[in-house]
Amino acid sequence: MNENLNNLDRRLEAESQRTVARLVAALPDEAPSMVWRSELNEALLGLTAKRNARRRFLLIARPALALAAMSAFALVMFVRPGRVEPVTGRIQPAATSTLEASLISLHQDDVRTMDVAGVGLDPNEPVAETASTASSGPDDSEADLEL
Amino acid sequence: MSRSLALLGSLVALVCLVGSAGAQRRDSDFDRSWVQSPLVPPVLKNAIRRGGHARYVGRRTVEFWRSPKDLKHEEIVTRDGNRSRVEFPDGSRFAGRIYVENGHERREYHPETNEIWVLPARHEESEMRLAHLADRGAEGKVVFTTAPGIRVAGYPTDQVVVSDSHGNIVQRLYIEPNSGVLLRREVFDPGGAKIGMFEFTEIDLDPPAFDPSLFRFDRRDARLVTPYDRLRELANQEHFPALALPPASGFRLDEVRVARIQGERVLVESYSSHQGKLSLFELKTDLDSDRLRQFARGTELHAYSWRVGAGTLVLVGSQDSNFLERLASAVVGTR
């Protein structure tokens, strides 16, 4: 161990090593200038300010957005619009959204219905249950006799 | 005095109307455009010619896609020319009802209320509508194409596809070529959705002679109800004036109901005649008559509206506007 250390010392004291050491010592000291340092600090301060402002904004915006999303969800799921009263016996397509158009459409539907019904059951008739079905099956009479 | 004048005015209007009815196409005439037209397929012409004389007994399934719950049911149909009988199988929600037609009137027995509804016969109107359809084909308003049909109730059929001038299918008819009987029919709305159909599942096209009593219905304890009775009941219940076209107008009141349209309760009266179907609507509010005419114009229909007190009456039909305007003066109270 001592022998290795002595070898290492001798090699470090060699002329070539001393030459390199002198060269390195002679290199100029490249410490940043104060002006540069000052500009850097100012730039960093600006970035920090922006980051902080953004953090403050997100601190408020994220919970607000979450609240808005939850409120919209709750509105859709739990708040019922005014009761929609369908015309009994038919579904109104969007194109007949006015009273006038609906009357025309209803007449047309009645004509088409009779093409199917012929001499049989007219689906516009009240669907009160007959005696044979009164005790079985759902009671449709109220919904349809509302006509 | 004013009431007498109003009645006199209505009578005069009625006379003019009946006189002008000859100017409208008479659906019962067979000297019509479809008879010679090459645009109408022979199988359809055969169905129209022979339809009035068909004899059969069968079971058919009828389905409507009109309401939130589909209305599908079965009917047992017996037909002998212009006479018919319709019953419903055991277990049907309509079991016990019996509908008979003797060529002049229709009687519907409703056991749930022990009532016999006396109505205009529908059979002739059904045939007239088929002839109307053929007329429209001859005039180029609809297009007929034929194709092999499917087997229905064991019989081969010829298919007639009815399309509008833009190629949208409005109906499919499956006709047994020898008898001309319509075994299956599908009806579509303007968007191409099927809104109704019927199909025979069993049928005997050569039945034995029927007992004439099959096409009559009398029951001593049953209450006879006419559509005008029903109109008075509903009008009283819903606080509408009981206004209607009298039978002398040539339009027979077929059906009365109250419908809820765009939030408004509307009294709907459906009439049938040789000149086609007609609807009379009673509203408790006003409506835009220009918009009404505009919507009707796009559909080959005509509409006429007028105020009566605080409400509005509207006539809608395939008859021309001048005719509807004259018809409006014939509407009278039924009380």
Side-chain angles (χ1 to χ4, degrees):
Chain A
M1 177 84 164
N2 283 335
E3 197 173 335
N4 286 336
L5 284 173
N6 289 335
N7 279 338
L8 189 58
D9 284 339
R10 274 200 296 279
R11 283 164 72 186
L12 283 172
E13 293 298 321
E15 187 55 37
S16 60
Q17 288 295 324
R18 283 187 183 187
T19 304
V20 170
R22 277 199 297 275
L23 284 172
V24 170
L27 285 173
D29 186 5
E30 292 186 353
S33 71
M34 293 304 291
V35 172
W36 181 86
R37 273 183 173 176
S38 173
E39 286 172 358
L40 178 62
N41 283 338
E42 280 177 20
L44 284 172
L45 276 172
L47 280 174
T48 306
K50 278 184 191 171
R51 198 189 314 152
N52 288 342
R54 193 178 159 200
R55 272 189 192 152
R56 279 195 294 273
F57 172 76
L58 286 176
L59 194 65
I60 297 167
R62 274 183 184 147
L65 277 171
L67 193 63
M70 282 171 59
S71 302
F73 179 75
L75 195 71
V76 166
M77 293 299 290
F78 300 115
V79 175
R80 302 264 180 217
R83 182 168 173 255
V84 174
E85 296 175 342
V87 173
T88 305
R90 61 203 316 274
I91 296 170
Q92 292 291 323
T96 58
S97 56
T98 67
L99 178 59
E100 295 81 4
S102 298
L103 296 179
I104 304 297
S105 179
L106 194 148
H107 173 86
Q108 287 179 300
D109 263 8
D110 282 354
V111 172
R112 287 189 206 112
T113 294
M114 292 316 296
D115 279 340
V116 176
V119 295
L121 176 81
D122 179 349
N124 290 322
E125 283 179 20
V127 190
E129 288 179 9
T130 61
S132 61
T133 59
S135 59
S136 64
D139 180 359
D140 295 318
S141 57
E142 201 171 299
D144 293 299
L145 286 178
E146 193 183 35
L147 288 179
Chain B
M1 176 68 173
S2 59
R3 198 171 171 180
S4 305
L5 279 173
L7 194 60
L8 183 64
S10 297
L11 283 170
V12 169
L14 213 51
V15 168
C16 293
L17 209 59
V18 172
S20 72
Q24 299 283 328
R25 189 167 53 207
R26 291 193 60 83
D27 295 4
S28 58
D29 292 339
F30 276 81
D31 182 20
R32 295 168 59 151
S33 50
W34 62 265
V35 176
Q36 302 293 336
S37 171
L39 299 176
V40 180
V43 64
L44 182 57
K45 289 180 183 175
N46 187 42
I48 297 169
R49 286 195 189 100
R50 303 189 62 178
H53 311 290
R55 299 182 65 253
Y56 59 76
V57 57
R59 182 186 282 246
R60 71 174 193 168
T61 299
V62 185
E63 192 160 5
F64 294 98
W65 286 269
R66 292 159 43 93
S67 58
K69 49 183 189 302
D70 290 351
L71 191 60
K72 182 175 181 177
H73 65 278
E74 279 194 301
E75 296 174 349
I76 301 164
V77 184
T78 304
R79 175 140 168 234
D80 188 359
N82 62 1
R83 301 183 300 173
S84 64
R85 180 183 181 94
V86 176
E87 293 174 90
F88 301 87
D90 292 339
S92 164
R93 59 216 293 237
F94 310 107
R97 288 194 187 186
I98 300 170
Y99 302 163
V100 297
E101 292 195 10
N102 61 4
H104 306 294
E105 73 175 16
R106 175 184 178 87
R107 290 192 163 209
E108 293 186 0
Y109 176 59
H110 294 253
E112 64 275 15
T113 51
N114 198 27
E115 290 175 343
I116 300 173
W117 293 7
V118 183
L119 304 164
R122 283 200 201 147
H123 171 73
E124 190 183 349
E125 190 197 333
S126 294
E127 287 182 8
M128 283 191 302
R129 272 203 303 281
L130 204 57
H132 261 310
L133 191 63
D135 273 339
R136 293 178 70 212
E139 292 159 12
K141 292 176 182 172
V142 295
V143 176
F144 297 117
T145 50
T146 55
I150 56 175
R151 285 189 82 86
V152 181
Y155 287 91
T157 61
D158 288 340
Q159 182 185 174
V160 176
V161 182
V162 186
S163 311
D164 65 15
S165 53
H166 302 288
N168 301 302
I169 296 176
V170 296
Q171 291 199 33
R172 287 183 194 272
L173 313 173
Y174 296 82
I175 303 170
E176 199 284 312
N178 295 322
S179 62
V181 172
L182 201 50
L183 295 182
R184 178 183 163 117
R185 188 172 199 168
E186 299 169 4
V187 177
F188 302 88
D189 76 0
K194 195 184 296 184
I195 59 167
M197 65 157 280
F198 74 77
E199 178 176 358
F200 277 92
T201 52
E202 305 167 27
I203 193 166
D204 180 357
L205 292 175
D206 187 23
F210 297 120
D211 190 312
S213 65
L214 268 181
F215 307 109
R216 294 195 296 260
F217 193 92
D218 281 305
R219 188 177 172 86
R220 290 184 184 180
D221 61 328
R223 178 182 162 230
L224 291 178
V225 178
T226 69
Y228 292 95
D229 295 328
R230 177 95 172 124
L231 169 63
R232 280 187 284 271
E233 281 173 13
L234 273 179
N236 187 47
Q237 202 175 300
E238 297 286 332
H239 309 293
F240 282 99
L243 300 170
L245 286 166
S249 65
F251 289 87
R252 302 163 300 181
L253 183 58
D254 211 352
E255 186 212 335
V256 185
R257 68 188 197 274
V258 172
R260 200 174 285 127
I261 305 173
Q262 299 293 319
E264 298 290 334
R265 290 184 80 78
V266 178
L267 187 66
V268 183
E269 300 172 31
S270 297
Y271 294 84
S272 54
S273 78
H274 291 293
Q275 296 155 52
K277 281 194 81 67
L278 184 78
S279 295
L280 174 63
F281 300 103
E282 280 194 47
L283 294 87
K284 292 182 179 174
T285 60
D286 196 5
L287 52 65
D288 188 331
S289 54
D290 289 334
R291 199 188 295 174
L292 178 72
R293 277 192 295 272
Q294 178 193 345
F295 281 120
R297 212 175 295 135
T299 63
E300 298 181 22
L301 294 173
H302 297 274
Y304 178 74
S305 65
W306 69 106
R307 297 298 303 271
V308 174
T312 309
L313 294 181
V314 181
L315 280 169
V316 178
S318 55
Q319 303 79 12
D320 66 59
S321 303
N322 292 335
F323 183 82
L324 292 182
E325 192 171 345
R326 288 197 301 277
L327 198 61
S329 56
V331 172
V332 292
T334 61
R335 292 189 191 280

